[in-house]
Amino acid sequence: MSASAALRGVLIPLTTPFCPDGEIDEKAFREQIAFMTANGVDGVVVGGSTGEGYALSGKELMALVAVALDTAAGRIPVVVSIMADSTRAAVARARAISGLPVTALQIAPPHYIFSPQPEGQADFYGAIAGAVALPIIIYNVIPWDYVTPATAARIMQRTPSVTAVKQSDTDLGAYATLVETVGAERVFAAIDAGLMSCYELGAAGSIAAISTAAPRAAVALWRAVQEGDRARATSLHKGLVGLWAALSSPNLPARVKAALALQGVEAGVPRSPMAAPSDAEVAAIAEALSALSRCEESIPGAGLQKIA
């Protein structure tokens, strides 16, 4: 089963709640997944950039995946993100995860300063696909190890279990080229301030931090575009763009955690050395959430609330 066949809609890159001592807060992680499920999301991703996956040990990632699978209880798909700087390390993590009932792996190219050539990128994904049977999503987020549309198409043709790309490049033109090259049904959008445009160009869905901060509005935007309700989509887009302006920064995961906390969801603190948002930054996030809530007033269903 391909990732593009099993996954569609708004997939949430979960944050990883840390306690002040740096340990993972499992209770808060379960609460976050319950909150996302209650807001109608279509799946969750564990250990991505928003989840500070680069700061997790292999053992911690495995523990989080086990908790996510237990909490989701088959109601929504669980995708696991792998961020490693060598083929050997990525294969080892993929093999460890492969025995669990996850839907797919989201795998970033190596993110250290060294940049492989396109053949090296193809070999990287080919080696992982040869080691595990799970579908693979290319996590296209590393500026100095960018997987071009042509290379993505080559990887997919050469390695059929590489079934989709999560496109995080902020260039909408690059997104459009990728959609044209590999097919809209094989692309997940991660251009946080441009999800409406991405959806209109075609997408299997999205895996974007803005959706973690505001899952209800994110789901409503996806549905509005699918239903052709442009007025509703435009209003939601405006509110989400305002929220993104308050979130977008090098300490994005910490700001997303602040957004969750403002909605009553315990999110913990970022893992050192990431800085927590300042009081002024939290106030800006709160103001943006308030503005977004006014855009959501016409959306049927209960408002955002803490899930016990």
Side-chain angles (χ1 to χ4, degrees):
M1 178 171 54
S2 73
S4 49
L7 300 171
R8 182 171 172 81
V10 178
L11 311 183
I12 299 295
L14 297 166
T15 69
T16 302
F18 296 108
C19 301
D21 64 1
E23 295 300 311
I24 293 172
D25 186 337
E26 180 182 318
K27 180 177 180 295
F29 191 59
R30 288 184 182 275
E31 179 181 317
Q32 182 182 166
I33 296 169
F35 174 74
M36 298 303 172
T37 303
N39 278 282
V41 308
D42 300 295
V44 293
V45 181
V46 179
S49 299
T50 305
E52 298 171 75
Y54 48 83
L56 296 172
S57 69
K59 182 178 179 180
E60 287 175 325
L61 179 62
M62 291 293 292
L64 286 169
V65 174
V67 171
L69 288 167
D70 182 62
T71 308
R75 291 171 294 175
I76 54 174
V78 174
V79 177
V80 183
S81 185
I82 294 176
M83 304 181 76
D85 274 327
S86 73
T87 303
R88 183 183 179 90
V91 166
R93 285 207 174 188
R95 281 179 170 155
I97 294 162
S98 65
L100 300 174
V102 302
T103 302
L105 300 176
Q106 172 187 277
I107 303 177
H111 55 283
Y112 187 58
I113 195 66
F114 165 71
S115 176
Q117 296 298 307
E119 184 64 27
Q121 293 174 331
D123 288 345
F124 174 77
Y125 285 101
I128 299 166
V132 300
L134 287 167
I136 294 169
I137 301 169
I138 297 172
Y139 181 15
N140 208 14
V141 69
I142 312 300
W144 53 89
D145 196 3
Y146 179 70
V147 179
T148 66
T151 300
R154 179 183 176 189
I155 292 171
M156 289 174 167
Q157 183 175 21
R158 176 171 148 179
T159 309
S161 62
V162 178
T163 60
V165 180
K166 172 185 171 181
Q167 183 67 0
S168 298
D169 190 324
T170 57
D171 183 347
L172 192 60
Y175 178 90
T177 301
L178 179 64
V179 165
E180 181 67 23
T181 304
V182 305
E185 73 284 356
R186 306 185 85 177
V187 179
F188 288 92
I191 304 178
D192 296 78
L195 291 183
M196 179 179 173
S197 296
C198 291
Y199 294 161
E200 290 181 333
L201 286 169
S206 61
I207 309 173
I210 189 72
S211 302
T212 312
R216 181 168 175 258
V219 170
L221 173 63
W222 166 256
R223 292 177 180 171
V225 174
Q226 305 312 302
E227 295 165 5
D229 189 343
R230 188 170 179 81
R232 187 180 183 205
T234 300
S235 177
L236 290 161
H237 166 75
K238 180 180 178 181
L240 287 166
V241 168
L243 177 58
W244 183 245
L247 294 175
S248 181
S249 74
N251 68 336
L252 170 63
R255 296 193 186 201
V256 173
K257 288 179 176 181
L260 288 171
L262 286 164
Q263 295 167 75
V265 180
E266 177 56 49
V269 298
R271 179 165 270 181
S272 177
M274 179 173 288
S278 67
D279 290 344
E281 290 164 348
V282 173
I285 294 167
E287 183 177 347
L289 284 170
S290 179
L292 175 59
S293 71
R294 293 192 289 274
C295 297
E296 294 180 279
E297 288 176 358
S298 63
I299 302 171
L304 295 173
Q305 58 183 343
K306 183 174 179 178
I307 308 299

